[in-house]
Amino acid sequence: MSTHTGLGVDNPDFVRPWGSSAEGAFQVVIAPTSAAPVPGWVHTTLRVAAVEGEETLEHVAGEEETLVVPLAGSWRVEVTDADGSTHTADLPGRATVFDGPTDVVYAGRGSTLRLASTTDGPARVALCGAPATKSAAPKPFRHITAGEVPVELRGAGQASREVRNMGLPDVLDADSFLVCEVITPAGNWSSWPPHKHDEERPGEETELEEIYYLETRATDVRNTDPVGYLRAYGSSSERPLDVLSEVRTGDVVLVPHGWHGPAVAAPDADLYYLNVMAGPGPERAWRICDDPAHAWVRDSWAAEPVDPRLTKGQQ
C-alpha cells in the first residue's frame, strides 16, 4: 500500500510508512506501549485497520478515550462502557475519505469496543485515542452523524483546504483529544503557514502532540503513484526536529513539537489527513503560533478566492 522515501534526519523516528507499525489486527499502531514505540510519545494514539469483507475487530481502551472514524466502507460499532452499559451504532461510512464527512463514535475511558465491517469488500477504520484521566468520570458515549460535523473552508487560493471538525470542543465533549480531517486539493498547500503548538501560554498557545494519518488520490488515471509531502522542523535549538517526508496512502507522520507545514498535495493528487492532537495542559483547545517568517501570508488571503473545487463541494 505504501512505498516510502524520506529525507529528513528524524524521519526514522517520526515517519511510519503503512504497515511498518503493525500490531495484531491493526496495520498502524501509534501508542506509548506499542511494539514499535515513538521516542518520547505520551499523549496521543492511533490505530488503523484494513479488512476485507465482514471482519470483526476488538479494542480494550483502558485509560484511553476513543473516536472511531470510518475511512472506507461501513461499520457497526458496539461499545461496553466502564460501568457495563452498552451501545450500538451503525456507521454508513463512505466509499473513500474524499467523499465527505462520516458518522463517528466516541467512547470514554474504560470502554471495550467491537467493530464489524458491514461492507462487502475492502474497508478501513481509524481509532483515534488519548489518555483520558483529566475528568473525574469517563465522558459519555456519543454517536455523531455526518450531518452534525461542521465543515470549514480555510485559507484561500493555493492554500485552500476543507476541514471537518468532528472531534473539536464545539462538537464533542471529550477529555483530552482534538480530532479533525483535512482535504487538500491537488496542487494546494495546507498546514500553512507553518505553525506550532508546543508550549502552554494561556490564551495564546496550547501544548499538543499531533498525529497525521495520510491518504492520497490520483486525479488522472495516468498517475499510478499519487504522493504528497509533509514538513516539520524545530522551533528552537534546544528542541531540534527535521522531518521531510514523501507520503502515500496509509503513512503516518508524527509531530512531537516544533513548526509543522506545509502539507503539500502534488499537482496530480488530492491529499487527505486525519489529525489527532492532545497534550498535558488543562485546556482542551487548539491554540497555535505561526512561524514569523511566514505568518504574513494570512493577510494575503482576503484578496484571494477560495479554491472553487472546494466551494462547489459545499453547494
Side-chain angles (χ1 to χ4, degrees), residues 6-281:
L7 299 174
V9 170
D10 294 317
N11 280 18
D13 285 336
F14 300 116
V15 178
R16 301 297 171 98
W18 173 258
S20 66
S21 58
E23 191 172 318
F26 295 91
Q27 286 79 14
V28 173
V29 177
I30 305 298
T33 57
S34 68
V38 180
W41 206 255
V42 178
H43 303 290
T44 52
T45 66
L46 177 69
R47 295 168 176 86
V48 180
V51 303
E52 293 285 340
E54 297 182 359
E55 297 187 36
T56 301
L57 306 166
E58 183 168 309
H59 174 58
V60 179
E63 291 297 295
E64 293 180 14
E65 60 187 349
T66 307
L67 191 70
V68 179
V69 181
L71 301 170
S74 54
W75 293 81
R76 170 166 287 183
V77 182
E78 299 175 359
V79 175
T80 302
D81 289 337
D83 64 5
S85 57
T86 61
H87 315 270
T88 300
D90 288 306
L91 310 184
R94 50 202 170 176
T96 77
V97 293
F98 297 97
D99 294 318
T102 178
D103 287 29
V104 298
V105 158
Y106 174 85
R109 72 171 185 261
S111 299
T112 298
L113 296 87
R114 287 177 54 85
L115 301 94
S117 167
T118 55
T119 296
D120 183 14
R124 290 193 305 282
V125 65
L127 306 184
C128 310
T133 57
K134 297 176 184 177
S135 302
K139 296 291 186 177
F141 171 90
R142 178 88 185 277
H143 175 190
I144 300 172
T145 67
E148 296 176 287
V149 176
V151 177
E152 171 190 1
L153 299 182
R154 191 176 294 169
Q158 288 184 297
S160 301
R161 58 271 201 188
E162 174 185 301
V163 185
R164 304 166 185 162
N165 294 318
M166 70 280 203
L168 296 192
D170 289 347
V171 181
L172 175 63
D173 179 24
D175 183 286
S176 296
F177 61 32
L178 305 161
V179 181
C180 66
E181 299 179 311
V182 179
I183 297 291
T184 308
N188 285 11
W189 287 25
S190 58
S191 288
W192 191 256
H195 56 278
K196 73 179 184 75
H197 36 70
D198 60 9
E199 298 179 78
E200 284 295 327
R201 298 187 294 138
E204 296 186 46
E205 186 177 354
T206 45
E207 181 181 351
L208 302 167
E209 287 178 347
E210 184 163 6
I211 297 173
Y212 281 75
Y213 165 84
L214 301 114
E215 298 200 10
T216 56
R217 177 180 67 174
T219 57
D220 190 295
V221 295
R222 294 170 293 182
N223 179 6
T224 59
D225 184 22
V227 301
Y229 297 86
L230 185 58
R231 175 73 169 137
Y233 54 100
S235 57
S236 69
S237 58
E238 292 77 20
R239 303 177 79 186
L241 180 67
D242 181 11
V243 173
L244 177 57
S245 180
E246 184 175 279
V247 295
R248 295 169 173 81
T249 292
D251 289 353
V252 174
V253 177
L254 305 162
V255 182
H257 54 79
W259 309 113
H260 44 287
V264 181
D268 57 359
D270 298 324
L271 181 67
Y272 160 94
Y273 51 87
L274 172 66
N275 280 149
V276 187
M277 296 172 278

